[in-house]
Amino acid sequence: MYERHGFSKMEVLYSSTRGAGKKLTASQAILQGLSEDGGLFVPDHIPALECGIEELAGQTYQEIAYQVMKLFLTDYTEQELKNCIDRAYDSKFDTEVIAPLVEAEGTYYLELFHGATIAFKDMALSILPHLMITAARKNHVQNEIVILTATSGDTGKAALAGFADVKGTKIIVFYPKNGVSPIQEKQMVTQKGKNTFVVGIHGNFDDAQTGVKQLFNDKELAQEMADAGLQFSSANSINIGRLVPQIVYYVYAYAKLLEGGRIAAGERINVAVPTGNFGNILAAFYAKNMGVPIGKLICASNENKVLYDFFSTGRYDRNREFILTSSPSMDILISSNLERLIYRIAGKDARKNAELMAALSREGSYQITDQMQAELDDFYGNYADEEETAARIRELYEKTGYVLDTHTAVASAVYQKYAAETGDTAKTVIASTASPFKFTRSVMNAIDPKYDQMSDFELVDELSRIGNVEIPNAIQEIRTAPVIHDSVCDKAEMKAVVKRFLGIHA
């Protein structure tokens, strides 16, 4: 126990899901990003909310963020944390409330896409640079921090926007060259900032993510970087500094429903999340374990339904065809954050978890025990194929005028399946993870195939007209922006490309 923020509280420390190494403070874990043994950092316990959720009902997003994050980031002072929050959640968001909750057909869509890059990653990646720079200062780090990240489309631009020209940092983003939407790619390759570097790879997201993990674990490269005054950290959702801010979404959503008289105090709600890397739904699971009255966690997959199969059978198997879909941020076969849940349902047995992850690396699959599978009762998994996703966009638009992006439509379609299967009528929050303007062609084709004749930016204007929604600044900016980053490489060349950008020569 120790004194902080004017009261006595338990410090939260972080350890690896694979067991090696000592426990770290929050700031140390954020700086390091990934554990040296390849594991992910997890809190030694999930703290309970200190105030009743009714007390949060009238608070702003920023105030609720502080109430949640102070419980996990216990080595940050009140002033440090509030400063990070204030800098992150400011006028770069195009709505004052940061995350509006919109009702359509009796379901509540938590719009997490009002930041600088119109995707939910902005919510956590707006604050990560500030948490990281504060962490570097707290831990007397002299090295320049090199953010190394793989993206399936959204993390890349949000991280680039967050870290661009932040003193003491550089950022390198790898993305699958033909695996993101045209708007997503244009957002990344037009990114300004002397410390930014964007590279397309010949391969899919899993190739990019595996390559990045290998670079993190490359001891020889780490030494070369240290000699040059550099060290890696991560902006992917494997970084605990990304995961903790996401917990806020679900505490906030519950508080807003309560404030609006949509639910009674203590009434259970369900949460549906379009899921790729498993970070966002894991954050909802953590919120539930903090005491937020959440019933089912509805895990929605697209046709790359590795998570649906896992929840159905207890077997995780990435040995399958990789399918490019209209929801590219979910085109993932290795859901990195699931490891944090596996560690927990294995009874926090790091050795057992390490064995399963080794099997995944070696054979591409693992099977959990019946006992572990019984621990997954909080979750419901299902998927929506391309046809169902498009039908859901069209149906909701025709009934209500509300336009979903492809990822949110996957979650909405899966929620419909859940409700039909179970008869559960609990109020449900669907995490709306991207603006429809980010995936205009897929969205507009779903509404009416005639739109396929239009150019990308004609579609933007038409979506604004039919949806009666203002075109986000993030889209206006890239209409005429010049391409700055045109590097492309094979996955085997990632190390050489990184060294070249950093000026490290063999």
Side-chain angles (χ1 to χ4, degrees):
M1 303 285 277
Y2 73 114
E3 278 301 310
R4 191 182 71 97
H5 299 176
F7 47 79
S8 183
K9 72 198 289 10
M10 280 286 287
E11 184 172 16
V12 175
L13 294 172
Y14 292 83
S15 57
S16 168
T17 50
R18 301 186 194 179
K22 63 182 194 306
K23 288 191 172 185
L24 303 183
T25 64
S27 65
Q28 289 168 337
I30 286 170
L31 270 179
Q32 200 169 315
L34 190 68
S35 174
E36 288 167 3
D37 58 13
L40 278 59
F41 290 115
V42 283
D44 57 6
H45 67 282
I46 296 178
L49 282 169
E50 284 174 344
C51 53
I53 206 147
E54 304 94 291
E55 291 176 54
L56 300 177
Q59 294 189 13
T60 64
Y61 190 89
Q62 293 88 335
E63 288 166 337
I64 292 173
Y66 175 69
Q67 293 297 335
V68 173
M69 290 168 65
K70 72 177 183 183
L71 302 175
F72 285 92
L73 309 181
T74 52
D75 67 324
Y76 285 74
T77 66
E78 178 174 356
Q79 185 179 354
E80 284 170 341
L81 192 49
K82 284 186 171 175
N83 184 45
C84 290
I85 289 166
D86 289 344
R87 285 172 173 230
Y89 304 117
D90 58 9
S91 60
K92 72 172 84 59
F93 286 82
D94 63 19
T95 57
E96 200 177 321
V97 295
I98 306 297
L101 201 59
V102 176
E103 186 180 356
E105 285 193 320
T107 303
Y108 298 90
Y109 292 86
L110 182 65
E111 293 187 345
L112 298 167
F113 54 74
H114 289 279
T117 77
I118 59 175
F120 83 104
K121 308 286 171 78
D122 286 325
M123 301 291 289
L125 278 164
S126 291
I127 195 166
L128 184 62
H130 303 294
L131 291 174
M132 205 168 267
I133 296 304
T134 304
R137 205 162 49 234
K138 291 172 82 64
N139 291 282
H140 312 293
V141 170
Q142 302 302 318
N143 286 346
E144 194 163 29
I145 296 163
V146 179
I147 302 300
L148 182 66
T149 285
T151 184
S152 54
D154 288 339
T155 286
K157 174 60 181 180
L160 288 161
F163 282 93
D165 291 325
V166 170
K167 199 176 171 190
T169 69
K170 293 185 192 300
I171 176 163
I172 304 169
V173 170
F174 288 98
Y175 74 96
K177 177 65 185 156
N178 297 310
V180 300
S181 80
I183 297 281
Q184 285 177 311
E185 183 171 44
K186 189 89 190 279
Q187 282 187 304
M188 286 189 279
V189 299
T190 58
Q191 176 64 52
K192 295 175 186 168
K194 289 180 183 156
N195 64 337
T196 65
F197 189 47
V198 180
V199 187
I201 71 154
H202 299 302
N204 60 38
F205 169 72
D206 289 327
D207 295 324
Q209 181 164 254
T210 299
V212 162
K213 283 184 173 180
Q214 286 168 350
L215 291 172
F216 267 105
N217 293 325
D218 188 325
K219 301 287 187 282
E220 185 187 323
L221 179 59
Q223 188 55 57
E224 288 178 281
M225 289 182 61
D227 293 344
L230 303 164
Q231 70 185 61
F232 277 142
S233 191
S234 169
N236 274 76
S237 57
I238 53 176
N239 192 313
I240 199 71
R242 274 277 305 276
L243 187 61
V244 168
Q246 293 190 99
I247 301 167
V248 179
Y249 310 162
Y250 303 102
V251 182
Y252 174 81
Y254 194 92
K256 290 297 118 181
L257 287 174
L258 198 54
E259 183 184 348
R262 308 292 188 175
I263 55 172
E267 184 180 336
R268 284 192 164 205
I269 65 166
N270 295 324
V271 168
V273 185
T275 310
N277 226 6
F278 207 74
N280 200 352
I281 196 161
L282 183 70
F285 175 74
Y286 278 21
K288 176 170 180 163
N289 283 274
M290 290 184 82
V292 180
I294 293 172
K296 274 292 179 206
L297 298 159
I298 299 165
C299 178
S301 300
N302 64 17
E303 287 182 22
N304 293 290
K305 55 188 179 64
V306 65
L307 287 166
Y308 164 62
D309 292 341
F310 168 71
F311 283 115
S312 303
T313 66
R315 183 173 184 76
Y316 193 96
D317 188 353
R318 66 172 172 83
N319 299 311
R320 63 184 70 206
E321 182 191 356
F322 183 92
I323 302 166
L324 290 173
T325 73
S326 62
S327 46
S329 299
M330 298 159 69
D331 290 346
I332 292 172
L333 296 182
I334 303 173
S335 300
S336 287
N337 275 289
L338 184 65
E339 180 171 346
R340 287 183 163 115
L341 183 64
I342 297 297
Y343 169 79
R344 185 182 171 94
I345 64 173
K348 299 187 177 179
D349 183 339
R351 193 169 61 180
K352 173 67 176 169
N353 175 68
E355 282 171 13
L356 293 171
M357 295 307 126
L360 180 64
S361 180
R362 194 174 56 245
E363 293 138 28
S365 67
Y366 60 81
Q367 177 77 45
I368 62 172
T369 65
D370 291 346
Q371 188 179 357
M372 289 169 72
Q373 197 169 355
E375 296 285 318
L376 295 174
D377 270 0
D378 287 333
F379 293 89
Y380 165 89
N382 213 322
Y383 75 101
D385 64 23
E386 289 290 88
E387 206 173 291
E388 290 169 325
T389 302
R392 186 63 191 131
I393 292 171
R394 183 169 57 253
E395 178 188 40
L396 194 65
Y397 171 69
E398 287 174 353
K399 284 184 179 175
T400 67
Y402 188 60
V403 183
L404 301 175
D405 95 288
T406 45
H407 303 72
T408 310
V410 168
S412 188
V414 166
Y415 167 62
Q416 285 188 316
K417 292 183 181 186
Y418 169 78
E421 276 177 35
T422 64
D424 185 351
T425 57
K427 302 276 194 326
T428 297
V429 169
I430 295 178
S432 186
T433 53
S435 165
F437 285 98
K438 202 151 193 171
F439 304 94
T440 43
R441 188 161 300 279
S442 297
V443 168
M444 295 300 279
N445 279 353
I447 291 171
D448 193 325
K450 71 180 183 188
Y451 290 123
D452 203 28
Q453 309 306 312
M454 294 184 175
S455 71
D456 286 323
F457 285 106
E458 284 174 337
L459 287 172
V460 164
D461 294 329
E462 185 65 5
L463 172 55
S464 174
R465 188 186 70 76
I466 69 161
N468 198 26
V469 190
E470 204 172 315
I471 298 169
N473 191 42
I475 297 292
Q476 298 286 33
E477 280 176 353
I478 61 170
R479 276 184 192 263
T480 55
V483 170
I484 296 169
H485 308 276
D486 57 4
S487 298
V488 180
C489 75
D490 289 326
K491 54 190 178 184
E493 299 173 303
M494 288 170 68
K495 181 175 177 177
V497 165
V498 165
K499 287 176 71 168
R500 194 160 60 243
F501 173 64
L502 297 176
I504 299 170
H505 303 291

